[in-house]
Amino acid sequence: MEPTGLLHDLISVSLVTQGVAFLPSQTQTLPDTDYTLTVLTEASILQVVARYFEDSNPDRYSAGDLTNLDPLNPSSLFMKHYGECASWNQFVGAIKTITDNNIRISNDLRNTSEWHFNGNQINAGHQKMKSIRSRILQQLTAGDENAPDYDVARMDCGRFLHLAHSFYSNANWIELNGQIDPDVIRPSYNLGKNSKN
């Protein structure tokens, strides 16, 4: 699967995961059954990786063999795909890098409207999404002596996911359009309303 397709899948699954509103991370005041930004992001990543493994190995898996694991967590996914000899520690670290950078936006840039699609900053936020998306794809497709910088790509992925989550949480897109549209992340997508002259 190409980096563009993988990024699109991650965003799509992340946006469709249950939740109407969420806090950035688990607090002691929330019951374990509530969804936080961290929980939603982790679940989305696991779904996308499980689907990637299924799609990349059609002779080995049918649809749902990995995405429907119960529980679906890093250890169950890696044990099913790689066997008991595989370590999932690096995968857990990659997920943590993505979620930490997602949460960092909530903590460090909470008053910056374009990072949260607040204050009519939809176009500025969308431009930021497009810029980060381009940067991720550049990082993942670098070759030769400029091998992909996966750490930076993961950090940017967390930032991008924050913007995608914020768009649907803070804009009235659902009310106006009736559904989540994963194509919003495409660079050519126009979030503005077309006016009739």
Side-chain angles (χ1 to χ4, degrees):
M1 185 178 279
E2 295 294 316
T4 305
L6 206 58
L7 178 62
H8 187 266
D9 287 351
L10 177 60
I11 303 305
S12 299
V13 172
S14 178
L15 296 176
V16 176
T17 305
Q18 297 180 40
V20 176
F22 40 82
L23 293 174
S25 56
Q26 194 69 34
T27 66
Q28 292 181 341
T29 60
L30 289 176
D32 289 339
T33 56
D34 278 350
Y35 297 104
T36 64
L37 186 55
T38 301
V39 169
L40 292 171
T41 304
E42 288 173 355
S44 300
I45 292 167
L46 288 167
Q47 281 291 316
V48 168
V49 172
R51 192 164 122 201
Y52 172 76
F53 287 162
E54 288 174 351
D55 292 348
S56 299
N57 299 278
D59 296 339
R60 186 172 171 193
Y61 301 117
S62 297
D65 283 352
L66 298 176
T67 54
N68 293 329
L69 282 174
D70 187 19
L72 177 57
N73 57 42
S75 61
S76 66
L77 180 59
F78 269 49
M79 286 180 66
K80 178 80 172 177
H81 184 68
Y82 293 111
E84 293 192 25
C85 63
S87 172
W88 53 87
N89 292 335
Q90 287 183 317
F91 182 49
V92 169
I95 292 172
K96 184 170 177 12
T97 298
I98 293 169
T99 57
D100 285 354
N101 281 277
N102 189 334
I103 300 305
R104 189 167 288 124
I105 301 301
S106 293
N107 295 333
D108 296 349
L109 299 170
R110 69 179 150 266
N111 296 322
T112 308
S113 296
E114 67 190 40
W115 281 98
H116 306 285
F117 289 88
N118 293 332
N120 294 318
Q121 294 299 310
I122 290 175
N123 287 332
H126 190 238
Q127 291 304 315
K128 189 165 284 304
M129 283 177 79
K130 289 176 9 178
S131 171
I132 292 172
R133 179 186 187 275
S134 294
R135 201 167 56 227
I136 292 168
L137 294 175
Q138 286 173 348
Q139 291 158 356
L140 294 177
T141 56
D144 301 327
E145 71 277 354
N146 299 317
D149 190 339
Y150 295 111
D151 291 331
V152 173
R154 288 181 196 114
M155 289 187 276
D156 276 342
C157 190
R159 295 175 189 121
F160 185 89
L161 286 172
H162 181 88
L163 285 163
H165 287 136
S166 292
F167 173 74
Y168 285 108
S169 294
N170 299 332
N172 61 350
W173 183 268
I174 301 295
E175 290 84 357
L176 294 175
N177 296 288
Q179 64 184 5
I180 290 174
D181 184 356
D183 283 334
V184 164
I185 68 164
R186 301 224 182 265
S188 60
Y189 202 85
N190 180 5
L191 289 177
K193 284 217 166 255
N194 292 330
S195 60
K196 295 181 181 178
N197 294 335

